[in-house]
């Protein structure tokens, strides 16, 4: 499969792998809704992603926003096989993460 390192390539690869395991095809939404955060939510997203970039020291965490935006965080200790994916449906998630962090005030 040729690709250009876009999110769509990762999704296509995942679908092919899922088909290989499950022997069934899955359909994607044709027009996924993109999250449109407010200015405050955008600032909170920057803060939360910066915090996670420094905080994650083992394993792998991916934030998958509606619409396809993916933020990946990987620890420096590669011997941990922990992998987690959080699907973010609402940009208020970042605001809650920012507001609950005592270092943000």
């Amino acid at each position: 499969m040729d690709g250009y390192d876009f999110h769509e390539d990762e999704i296509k690869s995942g679908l092919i792998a899922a088909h290989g395991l499950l022997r069934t095809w899955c359909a994607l939404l044709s027009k996924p809704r993109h999250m449109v955060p407010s200015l405050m939510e955008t600032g909170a997203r920057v803060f939360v992603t910066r915090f996670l970039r420094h905080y994650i020291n083992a394993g792998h965490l991916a934030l998958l926003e509606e619409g396809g935006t993916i933020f990946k965080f990987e620890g420096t200790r590669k011997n941990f096989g922990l992998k987690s994916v959080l699907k973010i449906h609402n940009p208020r998630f970042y605001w809650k993460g920012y507001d609950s962090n005592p270092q943000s005030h």
Side-chain angles (χ1 to χ4, degrees):
M1 174 192 294
D2 59 282
Y4 300 99
D5 200 27
F6 293 120
H7 301 305
E8 292 84 9
D9 295 331
E10 293 174 4
I11 292 171
K12 287 177 188 175
S13 298
L15 284 173
I16 291 170
H19 174 68
L21 292 172
L22 303 174
R23 301 287 183 221
T24 61
W25 285 104
C26 301
L28 293 177
L29 295 174
S30 60
K31 293 184 180 180
R33 295 180 318 174
H34 287 277
M35 284 186 15
V36 182
S38 68
L39 184 60
M40 296 290 281
E41 291 164 341
T42 300
R45 178 169 65 178
V46 168
F47 175 83
V48 169
T49 55
R50 188 176 297 152
F51 171 78
L52 289 172
R53 193 174 304 119
H54 294 291
Y55 184 77
I56 303 294
N57 64 3
H60 176 86
L61 172 67
L63 301 180
L64 174 60
E65 292 183 347
E66 260 187 38
T69 303
I70 301 172
F71 294 100
K72 294 180 181 180
F73 308 96
E74 195 165 357
T76 56
R77 298 181 357 205
K78 305 290 184 194
N79 57 347
F80 279 74
L82 302 173
K83 292 187 177 183
S84 297
V85 177
L86 292 176
K87 292 177 81 176
I88 311 299
H89 299 282
N90 192 313
R92 281 184 284 170
F93 167 83
Y94 297 110
W95 184 251
K96 294 292 185 180
Y98 172 79
D99 196 37
S100 66
N101 188 341
Q103 294 177 351
S104 64
H105 302 291

